[in-house]
């Protein structure tokens, strides 16, 4: 079983991922991405799916045209673990290989 991080450890790791936010229900890391069109968004999701499969750690996500919303959580730990922060960093790197993503507001907000 993966160990759940305490709030202080989460804060330290979150400082290195400035575009990600801690969310609740379930406790997780969340980031919104905005691309120029559907093809770029889908290409990004394809890259993330390969990263997630390699890590055996799969995101909760949604896609609406050029928007991708990703939440990472470790269910067997009951919250955030090192696995979430490691995958978030890899996702950020994948995003820079696509079109430059623009973070957007809370879930449901429009740019």
């Amino acid at each position: 079983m993966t160990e759940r991080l305490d709030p202080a450890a989460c804060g330290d790791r979150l400082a290195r991922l400035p575009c990600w936010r801690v969310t609740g229900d379930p406790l997780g890391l969340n980031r919104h991405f905005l691309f120029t069109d559907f093809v770029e968004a889908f290409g990004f999701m394809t890259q993330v799916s390969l990263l997630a499969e390699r890590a055996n750690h799969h995101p909760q996500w949604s896609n609406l045209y050029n928007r991708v919303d990703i939440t990472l959580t470790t269910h067997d730990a009951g919250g955030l673990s090192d696995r979430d922060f490691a995958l978030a960093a890899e996702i950020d790197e994948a995003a820079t290989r696509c079109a430059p993503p623009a973070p957007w507001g809370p879930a449901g907000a429009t740019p």
Side-chain angles (χ1 to χ4, degrees):
M1 183 165 153
T2 306
E3 185 176 326
R4 180 179 177 164
L5 295 172
D6 64 49
C10 288
D12 292 343
R13 287 162 178 79
L14 191 61
R16 289 176 256 162
L17 299 167
C19 295
W20 292 83
R21 302 290 174 254
V22 174
T23 62
D25 197 29
L27 184 63
L29 286 179
N30 181 264
R31 182 168 176 194
H32 307 279
F33 297 87
L34 181 65
F35 296 92
T36 57
D37 58 25
F38 176 76
V39 172
E40 285 184 0
F42 196 86
F44 168 70
M45 291 178 71
T46 301
Q47 288 184 45
V48 172
S49 71
L50 296 172
L51 296 171
E53 188 64 19
R54 188 181 72 228
N56 193 28
H57 191 55
H58 303 91
Q60 297 171 210
W61 59 5
S62 64
N63 164 243
L64 179 62
Y65 185 61
N66 64 338
R67 302 173 192 168
V68 177
D69 181 26
I70 298 177
T71 299
L72 303 171
T73 190
T74 304
H75 295 287
D76 65 346
L80 292 169
S81 73
D82 280 325
R83 296 178 76 198
D84 300 303
F85 289 94
L87 187 53
E90 288 188 74
I91 290 170
D92 281 352
E93 190 174 313
T96 62
R97 290 191 302 265
C98 297
W104 49 286
T110 56

